[in-house]
Amino acid sequence: MSPTPPRPLGSRYELLDLLGTGAMGEVWRARDRETGQERAAKVLRSEFARDTEIVTRFIQERSILMGLRHPNIVRVHDLVVEGDRLGILMDLVDGGDVRGRLRADGTMTGRDAVVVVGAVLDALAEAHSQGCLHRDVKPDNVLLDGALLADPGAVKLSDFSIAKLAQESTVMATGLLGTPGYMPPELFLHGQFSAASDVYAAGILLYELLGGRTPFAGPGTAHTVGHRHVMAEPPRLPVDDRLWHVLGTMLDKDPRVRLTAAGTARTLRDLPDAVLDRPRLPVQGHPETWATSGGTGERSEPIHVQERPAALDPGVTNLHAAPVASAPLAGTGQVRAWGPADAPDEGVTSVGRAAPEHQAPVLTPGAAVDATPVRRPWLVWLTVAVVLLGLISGGVAFAQSRDGGAAAPPEAPGKGAVATTAVQADDARPSGLTVTREVAFDPASRTLRLTVRYATQKAALTGPFLEVVPAADDTQQCPAVDWQGAPQPSNIGRTTGILTACAYAIQAPTIPAQSSWEVTAVVDLDLGDDPEAVSTWLERAAGLTAEALGGASVQPSAYPVQRLADVRVDVPAGVTVRTRNLRVVLRPVWVSGPDDSITLLYDSSTGQSSGLLDQVAGGLEGVSLDESCGGALSISRQRAVSVLRPTEDCRIGADVGNFDVESSPFTISSLGG
């Protein structure tokens, strides 16, 4: 029998042989016809590829996924959309996955488990720094490049955001979906997922590598497993107390207690050899009962989980795409043009903008032309000189009559005469950002030149910054905007929660303290001949921008420099003299109110800066702490806080970028209470 010929995938790749199948689709060994290199091609199931939500969102994140570069991340090389097939071309890793290693060996030694999970955490730390979550960390998505684990570089984390895209597209129709054994409690309680949730899943992975099973696996449905995540303590593994302490922190019910991915990896690797070199455990049995932890003390709404077929394994990702009904964009026989910010997402090409109506130029001769043959050359030159002089004099007289006697400045070559200019400046925001907008409108070409200047005060600040560039009035579509230098992407409403039309996410670099940066755009706009219309448009643009930033539906991490109203300093309750290192947490207070779901800085002593802190304060360099506790605390390097003695009244102050804030008063008790 002759071998099966290769199957084409797009025009560039061919599928050679099937490597495996899963709930999301099939994995093939593929060849790049142009380079001859072999790749792994994940071909998603046809129902995913037919779902425009999934395809659109993956195209949006394509640049992020292809931009992830790390030794422990399986690199995405290309995306192929062909009919009802969606193919993702990735690095080919031949060593199998960690799930296969567990099936063969049952468990791993502490050292091998730390090598695997430490590499996974390194990959997560890089992804989190780029604003990308994984959402499906499990042994199936951890690949091994070779049989030995001595080299951490042999561990490769794959499938970034692929499960996330499928889940977010179907969650409205089918409830909570994912891999129940690895889902964090905050996802069951509040439907929230963050970088700390990825750390929790890595903790489940570490537990499974050590014990041969996930902590909350056992009899029952996916709902039962989810309830255990929220309310039950993970059954104790017979490992060293120091390793169990780190694992317990990763699996804490409160995401605020978990360390960052980088901090967790460092803590695991700092464990002594005596802890890591103990013999590996036998596969642990499922407990008959689980000890109740009390969870987070918060009640959640009932969890609705689909009925699963009898043959479905709840320990495997099972994401079922279901079409979500939506109103058509246009009726039969109609065409609706999309402007740049009207498009549902940044990744969708929007070329439907209505072109301005062409106005033919009207030419008026400046002087009559004599058709009689010229016989005196010197008279010709004299006539030309007189005509030119008249034209120049007439132009000056016209400008003087229009501007009250002042001659108009010479215009730039190829430009229309600038009729109206206007300047508008916002009040400085609490973060220290000042925005100044300047416009110049040319009625001849019906274009408006907009320059936006962002200035800083005490701290370095980083974009993106929101800017609304509206039409002349609410009845018109968003105007065409040509950003000079580097194109600026449209605001993605589904990601930021800002649904205002004609909004852009200005990708400003880090602006040093007491400096400024500006961006310029040419806007196709017809404001008529009323000089007041320019000022009115500018005020409207600034007002719409401010209104959008203050909306209640804005996502926590969207445009933090413009939305941060204050910083709150939190210290743990029940501080005693035994608290050697006092954890100081910095939390944001947005224009819409305080936010306990995320942090600017979790622990001032760890040296780990969050992406939000980098944007609003220039990172850790923009943070310093002081105390008013009568010497009961010691602060080293302006950030590490040590408790020295008891006191009845203690406060910790913090300079965070442009903010000067202080904690609520607290007590440091003695050993006796």
Side-chain angles (χ1 to χ4, degrees), residues 246 259 262-271:
V246 180
L259 299 177
T264 304
R266 183 170 56 252
T267 304
L268 283 172
R269 291 176 178 132
D270 286 342
L271 292 171

Side-chain angles (χ1 to χ4, degrees), residues 9 40-44 58 76 78-80 86-90 162:
L9 178 65
K42 171 160 283 192
V43 182
L44 298 190
F58 192 89
V76 175
D78 202 357
L79 169 71
V80 176
L86 175 63
I88 304 162
L89 280 300
M90 303 175 290
I162 294 173

Side-chain angles (χ1 to χ4, degrees), residues 330-367:
T332 304
Q334 297 177 337
V335 176
R336 176 185 171 186
W338 286 349
D342 278 338
D345 289 302
E346 180 189 350
V348 177
T349 303
S350 305
V351 294
R353 179 181 61 83
E357 182 181 354
H358 175 69
Q359 297 291 335
V362 179
L363 303 179
T364 302

Side-chain angles (χ1 to χ4, degrees), residues 409-471:
E411 56 186 359
K415 303 284 185 180
V418 175
T420 310
T421 61
V423 178
Q424 180 273 340
D426 291 344
D427 294 334
R429 295 185 177 271
S431 63
L433 180 72
T434 300
V435 183
T436 303
R437 301 174 182 87
E438 182 175 355
V439 296
F441 177 62
D442 180 2
S445 60
R446 296 190 299 178
T447 58
L448 180 143
R449 189 175 184 86
L450 168 67
T451 300
V452 187
R453 182 176 298 105
Y454 302 96
T456 60
Q457 295 180 1
K458 290 172 51 178
L461 302 174
T462 307
F465 304 137
L466 182 75
E467 199 66 36
V468 178
V469 185

Side-chain angles (χ1 to χ4, degrees), residues 4 26 65 157 164 315 373 456 569 583 627:
T4 303
E26 300 175 336
L65 298 178
L157 184 59
K164 169 191 172 185
T456 60
V569 183
R583 189 178 75 241
E627 53 88 18

